[in-house]
Amino acid sequence: VIQEGIVTTINADGGTNIAPMGPRVDDTMERLWLRPFRTSATYSNLKRTGEGVFHVTDDVLLIARAAIGTPDPLPVLSEATAVTGRILADACRWYAFRVEQIDDSRERSQIDCRVIDCGRIRDFFGFNRAKHAVIEAAILATRTGLLPANEMHREFARLSEIVEKTAGQQESTAFRLLQTYVWQIIDR
Ligand SMILES: Cc1cc2nc3c(=O)[nH]c(=O)nc-3n(C[C@H](O)[C@H](O)[C@H](O)COP(=O)(O)O)c2cc1C
């Protein structure tokens, strides 16, 4: 099963990179199978440092911001101890991992990771249709070059109905942010 979350890695200049990523996981959460594109900063950082932290979070505004750029200001981070990595202080759970194997023979790499430390910070909110709609919109926003404009408009129209019915402020803000970002690109 794929679990959508956020991966933090350390950039060459020592800064923090934050990227939504959906690794394959199993019930044990002892391993993560990440599939970052070779063009992503996450891929370069993991290749160079071999370590990172995967987070499970219900903060879809952070996921949206990280999908389309670098959140400014960065969320509050703390240093991991078992790996050289940074933990999002407001995540629900985190998994510090070490890369064991990289297959980068294809454009989308496959990175097998072993979880070596983990922690729980707070409860997950639970199901909310608007949160899921924002996740879908965030994925669309990272694929503006791949999908035709009419399909983007159709998908956003469908998702916006769900957001209007079920969102709180965080979800509405996140959805608007993504919509504005996508419109700027496809209506150019
Ligand atoms: C929920 C979600 C899951 C994603 N999963 C992946 C993934 O598994 N692999 C990938 O290359 N990009 C994935 N993306 C797209 C990346 O987050 C996006 O390309 C991002 O800009 C990469 O950031 P980076 O260059 O800082 O690593 C996902 C996006 C979202 C919103």
Side-chain angles (χ1 to χ4, degrees):
V1 61
I2 288 177
Q3 187 170 33
E4 310 296 356
I6 295 181
V7 171
T8 56
T9 50
I10 309 281
N11 294 324
D13 67 0
T16 308
N17 189 75
I18 295 180
M21 288 280 152
R24 283 185 198 284
V25 301
D26 64 16
D27 291 345
T28 69
M29 290 301 283
E30 289 170 356
R31 301 183 75 91
L32 306 170
W33 290 273
L34 282 160
R35 295 170 310 139
F37 280 94
R38 284 186 306 178
T39 47
S40 67
T42 300
Y43 166 80
S44 314
N45 288 345
L46 288 177
K47 180 120 177 156
R48 194 183 67 259
T49 68
E51 293 178 333
V53 183
F54 175 66
H55 304 80
V56 175
T57 182
D58 50 22
D59 183 348
V60 292
L61 183 54
L62 179 60
I63 291 175
R65 287 192 172 126
I68 60 174
T70 302
D72 182 23
L74 281 177
V76 179
L77 301 160
S78 64
E79 296 292 330
T81 49
V83 301
T84 308
R86 293 185 188 128
I87 297 166
L88 297 169
D90 186 43
C92 299
R93 307 197 301 277
W94 56 268
Y95 300 87
F97 63 83
R98 196 163 284 153
V99 170
E100 291 206 325
Q101 206 179 328
I102 299 185
D103 174 356
D104 48 15
S105 56
R106 272 163 293 192
E107 196 193 347
R108 195 165 185 183
S109 69
Q110 299 238 25
I111 307 188
D112 297 356
C113 308
R114 181 168 295 282
V115 172
I116 54 177
D117 195 12
C118 61
R120 280 166 195 269
I121 300 172
R122 64 181 178 85
D123 286 346
F124 191 84
F125 178 81
F127 291 127
N128 167 254
R129 294 180 65 204
K131 284 190 189 292
H132 291 269
V134 171
I135 297 293
E136 292 302 326
I139 290 173
L140 289 171
T142 66
R143 296 188 180 162
T144 47
L146 303 173
L147 291 177
N150 61 354
E151 196 175 326
M152 274 293 182
H153 279 289
R154 203 171 47 239
E155 281 295 295
F156 266 86
R158 186 179 69 81
L159 293 169
S160 81
E161 282 179 27
I162 298 171
V163 171
E164 272 161 33
K165 277 192 219 148
T166 66
Q169 196 169 358
Q170 179 197 95
E171 296 77 26
S172 305
T173 306
F175 192 75
R176 271 200 309 273
L177 184 78
L178 293 166
Q179 193 156 31
T180 306
Y181 171 85
V182 169
W183 275 198
Q184 269 169 5
I185 294 174
I186 66 175
D187 289 342
R188 237 188 341 229

